[in-house]
């Protein structure tokens, strides 16, 4: 019998390596997908008729190659690996022409769609309630109400609930920030933290530098405060283009810079630590406040939580904003602001904004973070989002027309897709909604309505045949519109 060179080489491989190669090929070939459970070590040893030690060695090999991961008490699973089927979009190049202003209408249409139960929610940038600790928080909030008695109805005046601020101060060490509870103000979500920050450091007419694209809420907020958004080119993986920002800073006055360094919405970009350091230093030299939105920092897919830019702040010029909206409880409306040297001003503004943050949700979240299994929940949420993102990325890569581009986020919950130039995402949005699918069209993410052939797809809903079908319908619509 003639044995081919490859099979001869294969025969020469130790048994564990052969098992690892076979399983590896199934993962690389997409037979086994991200999040799939692979057989237990015991089962693998029976299947391949090898000793337990050989099966263990095979799995260790796959783990070292980054293909699988062991989860405590659950077994082995295929790990998330950003696939490279599609190219990434390039660094954005904001165009200065202004098109018809339809953003506010678009935003309300998107919000209306979010409330429709039968619509597939690629438009809503939130984790589905199935991924949130609903039962646990319901129990915790009832217990907190019983414990607090009439206290739960009392106002917790700014800077807000002390137990929560203490918990946040401990948690901030994970973000790379050493802060005392007295430096934290609790807010009604991250949005209020952004409002307070902008109001504290700008006046109407002032220019504010932002990423391009950026969250549509930020764009609306800047417009409503009478400020001017300066769109700075942004790379889909590494975030704000600092050379471009430097050029802007040299040529004109900028009153503040509002950035989402960890998993920007909609790009999912993550600024490397060195870039965060350079950004903080660049602004500090000119005494320009940096409003840092860290809403997505906890949703990292890598092992380490990325630090915040504030970890490099030496002058108290970085105003760090965050909330529990994407990780635990969007409806509780609890967030925080660590405003550095602008503490007094922002605390006073908080009073005329919402007087105080709702008492009971703050107490419940403090308890949940301390004793409720917050970290365990975050781990499960991150894994679920990673899996969903991987599956949606795959489905898009396989079904959308050739030539499209897509981001490869390493955290967060959204994908940014560049469609063929002729596809108008606003029209696609209307057509998709008629098919009960919501998407977020690109122009929402730019004050000048750039990104007409881009869409943002949220990966907040668990993967299901319904989601798979919806991607197929979107792909069909895009092909029709090409
Ligand atoms: C970047 C960014 N900042 C702020 C917000 C608002 O957060 P919150 O719901 O906590 O007010 C969002 C919501 O999607 C967002 O994407």
């Amino acid at each position: 019998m003639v044995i081919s060179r490859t099979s001869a080489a294969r025969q020469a491989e130790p048994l564990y390596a052969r098992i690892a190669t076979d399983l590896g090929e199934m993962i690389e070939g997409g037979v086994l997908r991200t999040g799939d459970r692979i057989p237990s070590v015991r089962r693998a040893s029976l299947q391949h008729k090898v000793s337990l030690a050989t099966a263990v060695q095979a799995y260790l090999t796959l783990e070292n190659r980054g293909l699988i991961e062991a989860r405590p008490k659950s077994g082995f699973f295929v790990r998330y690996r950003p696939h490279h089927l599609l190219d990434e979009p390039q660094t954005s190049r904001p165009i200065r022409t202004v098109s018809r202003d339809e953003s506010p209408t678009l935003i309300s249409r998107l919000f209306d769609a979010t409330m429709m139960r039968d619509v597939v929610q690629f438009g809503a940038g939130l984790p589905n309630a199935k991924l949130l600790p609903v039962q646990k928080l319901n129990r915790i909030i009832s217990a907190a109400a019983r414990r607090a008695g009439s206290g739960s109805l009392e106002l917790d005046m700014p800077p807000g609930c002390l137990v929560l601020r203490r918990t946040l101060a401990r948690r901030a060490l994970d973000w790379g920030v050493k802060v005392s509870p007295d430096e934290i103000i609790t807010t009604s979500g991250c949005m209020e933290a952004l409002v307070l920050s902008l109001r504290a450091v700008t006046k109407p007419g002032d220019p504010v530098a932002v990423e391009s694209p950026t969250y549509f809420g930020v764009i609306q907020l800047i417009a409503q405060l009478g400020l001017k958004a300066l769109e700075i080119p942004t790379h889909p993986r590494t975030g704000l283009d600092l050379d471009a920002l430097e050029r802007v800073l040299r040529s004109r006055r900028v009153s503040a810079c509002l950035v989402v360094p960890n998993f920007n919405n909609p790009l999912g970009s993550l600024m490397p630590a060195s870039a965060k350091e350079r950004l903080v230093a660049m602004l500090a030299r000119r005494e320009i406040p940096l409003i840092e939105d860290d809403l997505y920092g906890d949703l990292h897919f890598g092992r380490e939580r990325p630090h915040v830019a504030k970890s490099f702040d030496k002058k108290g010029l970085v105003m760090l904003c965050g909330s529990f909206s994407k990780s635990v409880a969007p409806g509780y409306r609890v967030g925080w602001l660590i405003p550095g040297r602008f503490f007094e001003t922002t605390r006073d503004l908080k009073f005329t904004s919402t007087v105080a943050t709702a008492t009971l949700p703050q107490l419940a979240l403090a308890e949940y973070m301390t004793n409720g299994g917050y970290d365990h929940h975050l781990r499960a949420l991150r894994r679920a989002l990673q899996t969903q993102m991987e599956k949606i990325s795959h489905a898009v890569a396989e079904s959308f027309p050739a030539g499209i581009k897509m981001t490869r986020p390493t955290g967060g919950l959204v994908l940014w897709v560049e469609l063929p130039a002729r596809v108008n995402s606003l029209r696609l949005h209307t057509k998709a909604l008629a098919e009960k699918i919501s998407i977020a069209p690109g122009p929402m993410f730019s004050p000048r309505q750039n990104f007409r052939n881009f869409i943002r797809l949220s990966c907040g809903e668990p993967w299901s045949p319904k989601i798979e079908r919806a991607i197929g319908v979107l792909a069909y619509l895009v092909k029709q519109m090409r």
Side-chain angles (χ1 to χ4, degrees), residues 229-446:
L230 291 178
E231 290 178 274
I232 307 295
T234 304
H235 188 276
R237 206 168 342 114
T238 53
L240 202 67
D241 178 337
L242 293 179
D243 292 333
L245 177 65
E246 181 94 59
R247 282 193 294 278
V248 170
L249 296 180
R250 273 199 216 117
S251 63
R252 57 178 303 171
R253 184 177 70 85
V254 171
S255 298
C257 191
L258 194 164
V259 181
V260 189
N262 292 334
F263 315 120
N264 154 291
N265 173 13
L267 287 177
S269 52
L270 170 64
M271 285 181 84
S274 55
K276 287 172 185 156
E277 186 171 15
R278 183 176 161 206
L279 171 66
V280 172
M282 187 190 284
L283 296 174
R285 264 198 306 281
R286 298 169 170 91
E287 294 284 317
I288 299 173
L290 170 62
I291 301 171
E292 178 177 21
D293 179 334
D294 188 44
L295 187 54
Y296 297 96
D298 276 339
L299 304 183
H300 55 99
F301 301 161
R303 272 182 200 282
E304 302 292 327
R305 191 216 196 272
H307 280 182
V308 290
K310 182 147 183 88
S311 63
F312 299 104
D313 183 22
K314 297 193 182 90
K315 291 177 124 183
L317 272 170
V318 181
M319 311 174 83
L320 181 64
C321 307
S323 83
F324 296 99
S325 301
K326 305 294 171 176
S327 54
V328 188
Y332 274 19
R333 308 301 309 139
V334 177
W336 58 86
L337 171 60
I338 307 180
R341 65 162 84 155
F342 306 100
F343 183 86
E344 267 86 32
T345 321
T346 43
R347 190 194 46 202
D348 293 350
L349 286 169
K350 163 74 188 171
F351 176 68
T352 53
S353 171
T354 51
V355 178
T357 304
T359 305
L360 209 42
Q362 294 187 77
L363 288 172
L365 284 167
E367 174 62 20
Y368 181 61
M369 281 175 90
T370 316
N371 301 313
Y374 179 59
D375 284 306
H376 177 77
H377 158 69
L378 279 183
R379 276 195 294 278
L381 176 64
R382 287 197 288 260
R383 273 203 300 271
L385 293 176
Q386 225 178 27
T387 305
Q388 286 158 208
M389 192 177 278
E390 166 75 348
K391 296 209 171 195
I392 291 181
S393 302
H394 248 280
V396 169
E398 276 165 12
S399 57
F400 275 48
I404 66 152
K405 294 180 180 164
M406 186 165 56
T407 48
R408 302 167 188 166
T410 53
L413 48 88
V414 294
L415 288 165
W416 182 241
V417 187
E418 181 176 352
L419 302 172
R422 287 184 51 193
V423 177
N424 178 335
S425 64
L426 298 171
R427 282 187 46 227
L428 177 64
H429 169 254
T430 309
K431 283 175 178 246
L433 209 49
E435 302 294 332
K436 301 217 172 297
I437 302 167
S438 89
I439 55 167
M444 292 176 72
F445 300 90
S446 150

Side-chain angles (χ1 to χ4, degrees), residues 57-366:
Q57 208 174 352
Y59 279 24
L60 281 177
T61 309
L62 287 168
E63 227 184 340
N64 289 339
R65 281 173 57 197
L67 294 178
I68 63 170
E69 64 186 354
R71 294 187 195 158
K73 298 197 195 122
S74 309
F76 284 90
F77 292 80
V78 177
R79 250 186 80 177
Y80 171 79
R81 290 163 313 121
H83 68 93
H84 298 289
L85 294 176
L86 296 178
D87 286 341
E88 290 172 300
Q90 292 182 338
T91 299
S92 60
R93 276 178 297 164
I95 303 164
R96 286 185 179 272
T97 51
V98 184
S99 46
R100 200 158 57 86
D101 185 8
E102 39 198 339
S103 260
T105 340
L106 263 177
I107 293 172
S108 18
R109 266 160 64 195
L110 194 73
F111 288 162
D112 290 348
T114 315
M115 304 312 286
M116 297 174 194
R117 296 254 172 243
D118 56 343
V119 165
V120 178
Q121 298 292 350
F122 292 133
L126 284 173
N128 186 285
K130 289 182 201 129
L131 303 176
L132 301 176
V134 181
Q135 315 285 352
K136 189 143 217 179
L137 271 176
N138 283 348
R139 278 200 302 276
I140 288 180
I141 202 164
S142 312
R146 277 195 302 277
R147 258 201 314 277
S150 63
S152 67
L153 301 187
E154 281 164 17
L155 281 173
D156 215 335
M157 294 305 284
C161 174
L162 180 59
V163 255
L164 179 60
R165 287 186 289 118
R166 280 199 191 119
T167 319
L168 285 168
R170 280 199 295 278
R171 178 62 52 166
L173 293 172
D174 290 348
W175 316 333
V177 174
K178 197 162 166 288
V179 73
S180 112
D182 300 340
E183 294 169 85
I184 303 175
I185 299 170
T186 63
T187 58
S188 300
C190 185
M191 187 51 113
E192 193 190 30
L194 297 175
V195 176
L196 300 178
S197 303
L198 275 174
R199 286 180 64 202
V201 299
T202 61
K203 54 183 184 330
D206 279 354
V208 177
V210 295
E211 290 135 323
S212 169
T214 196
Y215 170 50
F216 51 82
V218 162
I219 296 170
Q220 264 203 318
L221 170 61
I222 288 179
Q224 284 170 5
L225 293 177
L227 305 166
K228 284 203 226 55
L230 291 178
E231 290 178 274
I232 307 295
T234 304
H235 188 276
R237 206 168 342 114
T238 53
L240 202 67
D241 178 337
L242 293 179
D243 292 333
L245 177 65
E246 181 94 59
R247 282 193 294 278
V248 170
L249 296 180
R250 273 199 216 117
S251 63
R252 57 178 303 171
R253 184 177 70 85
V254 171
S255 298
C257 191
L258 194 164
V259 181
V260 189
N262 292 334
F263 315 120
N264 154 291
N265 173 13
L267 287 177
S269 52
L270 170 64
M271 285 181 84
S274 55
K276 287 172 185 156
E277 186 171 15
R278 183 176 161 206
L279 171 66
V280 172
M282 187 190 284
L283 296 174
R285 264 198 306 281
R286 298 169 170 91
E287 294 284 317
I288 299 173
L290 170 62
I291 301 171
E292 178 177 21
D293 179 334
D294 188 44
L295 187 54
Y296 297 96
D298 276 339
L299 304 183
H300 55 99
F301 301 161
R303 272 182 200 282
E304 302 292 327
R305 191 216 196 272
H307 280 182
V308 290
K310 182 147 183 88
S311 63
F312 299 104
D313 183 22
K314 297 193 182 90
K315 291 177 124 183
L317 272 170
V318 181
M319 311 174 83
L320 181 64
C321 307
S323 83
F324 296 99
S325 301
K326 305 294 171 176
S327 54
V328 188
Y332 274 19
R333 308 301 309 139
V334 177
W336 58 86
L337 171 60
I338 307 180
R341 65 162 84 155
F342 306 100
F343 183 86
E344 267 86 32
T345 321
T346 43
R347 190 194 46 202
D348 293 350
L349 286 169
K350 163 74 188 171
F351 176 68
T352 53
S353 171
T354 51
V355 178
T357 304
T359 305
L360 209 42
Q362 294 187 77
L363 288 172
L365 284 167

